Amino acid sequence: MEPTLVPLPRGGKHSVLNLDRYWYVACQSAELKRGKVLPRTVLGLPLALFRNQGGAVGAVLDRCPHRNVPLSGGRVVGDNLECPYHGWQFDPMGVCKRVPGHCGEHEHPSRDATRLATREQDGFVWVWTRPGEEPEGEPFRLGGQEPGYTTVRRSVVFPGSLHQSIENALDVPHTAFLHRGLFRGTGTTNKITGVITRTATMVQAQYVGEPRPGGLAARLLAPGGGEVEHWDRFHMPCVAEVEYKLGDDLHFLVTSLMTPESDFVTRAHAVVTFKLRLPGWLIKPLIFPIAMRVFKQDAVILGKQTEVIKQFGGEKFVSTEIDLLGGQIWRLMRRGAKGRAASEVEVDDDYRAEVQLDV
């Protein structure tokens, strides 16, 4: 008797939103050399980023208004970006400055490249993802940049949506399994309290009564153990922060600036900042390989998660009380996707909740 084939369920939702009235990191400042052009994609928009000889940064849609050739294949000539096809030149504001062979006026609004507003701040180039629109508000400001802190920056591409990537960065329970031995996963669990609070643009989980986590990374950073202060935060629309304090011995802050390149590709610009009793130069070469191993493990599991979601044609999530932030993050994202201005002040409901966890 032939077995009966049961068709797989198809259809379903995807946790993907178009959050396009916000600032996102396009690249690290160090990646955009003077006189160079860099192609990047943000929210599905192909961009040509360039830094002219004067140091100014420009971001334009990656197509020449003349004949639709990618401007990222061009070069910087003086203060302008030159198209590789007919040599049209554009300044950082997208204004057409030169049309070779044309005897009349070179500048005309119809010839301008479509620009995105930019800010260079804290070692990153940010873009406002509404082309041609003047931004409201300013990009997120990094913390932990005071004297005495050591900073490591790295970029990692996650094969997952913006929501998947941010929830992963702020999810505590998975660390004991996916990152076993590196961070948690030593076989010892402790009952702690998670306190969740939120505002109109941020949600935070504070963990109360948490001993220093197990694993190699924690032993290196805080060999003496003790009770830590621990916060996980999400700032709209794309910032994940993980912060640990242990008296005067340790302050550790990981800020992940997430840029959705497409629906299921997210580039994470991670800034790891720490202050210890030991010299930063001594710890930095030890902690960096561990951090990169953790990021790579996250990238692999997000890729598998995305693959399954696509195979089944949509998501099916079952959550419990200890999935503290995923639903809260999605709630804020949905509010932000309704088209309201980024600077609009909303009255939130002063949400606060407490949950018990064994971690």
Side-chain angles (χ1 to χ4, degrees):
M1 182 177 178
E2 293 293 327
T4 301
L5 299 179
V6 179
L8 293 175
R10 296 292 177 184
K13 75 181 188 74
H14 296 83
S15 298
V16 176
L17 294 170
N18 185 35
L19 295 164
D20 66 345
R21 296 192 74 177
Y22 294 93
W23 290 101
Y24 294 94
V25 169
C27 68
Q28 296 187 48
S29 293
E31 295 178 276
L32 195 57
K33 307 296 184 183
R34 192 181 296 263
K36 297 297 182 182
V37 189
L38 180 68
R40 277 294 160 85
T41 301
V42 179
L43 274 182
L45 293 174
L47 304 179
L49 309 173
F50 68 101
R51 189 187 298 279
N52 67 17
Q53 298 297 343
V57 172
V60 296
L61 292 188
D62 197 10
R63 66 175 181 185
C64 181
H66 180 216
R67 288 296 182 268
N68 290 273
V69 169
L71 290 170
S72 59
R75 61 174 184 157
V76 175
V77 179
D79 287 336
N80 301 324
L81 171 60
E82 182 183 82
C83 176
Y85 194 17
H86 292 89
W88 284 31
Q89 292 186 9
F90 308 92
D91 71 7
M93 298 298 290
V95 176
C96 181
K97 291 295 187 179
R98 184 167 185 262
V99 180
H102 184 59
C103 296
E105 290 291 329
H106 295 268
E107 295 186 24
H108 191 279
S110 66
R111 299 171 191 157
D112 293 348
T114 303
R115 67 172 283 265
L116 278 70
T118 62
R119 295 285 189 275
E120 191 162 14
Q121 175 183 295
D122 296 329
F124 293 99
V125 174
W126 298 74
V127 296
W128 179 261
T129 49
R130 283 283 184 98
E133 181 179 287
E134 287 306 309
E136 300 179 17
E138 295 298 319
F140 179 82
R141 282 278 180 189
L142 287 176
Q145 304 299 299
E146 296 82 7
Y149 283 78
T150 301
T151 299
V152 178
R153 296 169 183 251
R154 287 296 183 273
S155 297
V156 182
V157 175
F158 291 138
S161 70
L162 178 63
H163 179 261
Q164 286 173 258
S165 302
I166 289 176
E167 183 186 25
N168 167 266
L170 300 177
D171 175 59
V172 169
H174 87 272
T175 58
F177 299 92
L178 185 62
H179 310 309
R180 181 181 287 117
L182 294 176
F183 196 73
R184 297 194 175 91
T186 58
T188 301
T189 60
N190 302 278
K191 189 176 292 295
I192 64 174
T193 301
V195 180
I196 308 142
T197 55
R198 70 179 180 225
T199 69
T201 58
M202 185 273 290
V203 61
Q204 171 182 279
Q206 179 181 4
Y207 298 92
V208 180
E210 180 180 1
R212 185 211 67 187
L216 180 58
R219 292 199 301 272
L220 283 173
L221 294 172
E227 185 173 302
V228 299
E229 299 176 82
H230 173 195
W231 300 265
D232 291 343
R233 304 184 192 93
F234 165 66
H235 300 269
M236 276 289 290
C238 61
V239 179
E241 283 187 315
V242 176
E243 182 175 14
Y244 282 92
K245 286 185 178 180
L246 181 57
D248 295 328
D249 293 333
L250 165 71
H251 186 199
F252 186 76
L253 178 65
V254 180
T255 305
S256 298
L257 308 172
M258 305 282 195
T259 299
E261 296 189 341
S262 61
D263 286 351
F264 290 100
V265 177
T266 301
R267 186 181 296 267
H269 301 274
V271 182
V272 182
T273 303
F274 59 90
K275 185 178 182 180
L276 309 170
R277 287 190 179 274
L278 295 172
W281 60 264
L282 179 63
I283 297 297
K284 186 174 179 178
L286 300 175
I287 203 66
F288 169 70
I290 298 174
M292 290 307 300
R293 177 64 177 161
V294 168
F295 290 141
K296 288 179 180 178
Q297 289 173 339
D298 285 334
V300 169
I301 206 69
L302 284 170
K304 293 180 182 296
Q305 184 185 44
T306 296
E307 182 180 340
V308 169
I309 289 171
K310 291 181 176 180
Q311 284 175 341
F312 282 86
E315 306 164 349
K316 183 179 180 181
F317 291 138
V318 177
S319 297
T320 71
E321 293 84 355
I322 66 170
D323 297 299
L324 296 184
L325 293 179
Q328 299 290 341
I329 292 166
W330 182 244
R331 175 181 179 274
L332 291 180
M333 284 182 166
R334 288 185 64 185
R335 290 172 65 170
K338 292 180 180 179
R340 290 187 286 262
S343 61
E344 184 178 339
V345 177
E346 301 178 10
V347 178
D348 203 74
D349 52 5
D350 296 322
Y351 180 88
R352 177 186 171 92
E354 294 190 8
V355 176
Q356 295 292 311
L357 301 88
D358 279 323
V359 293

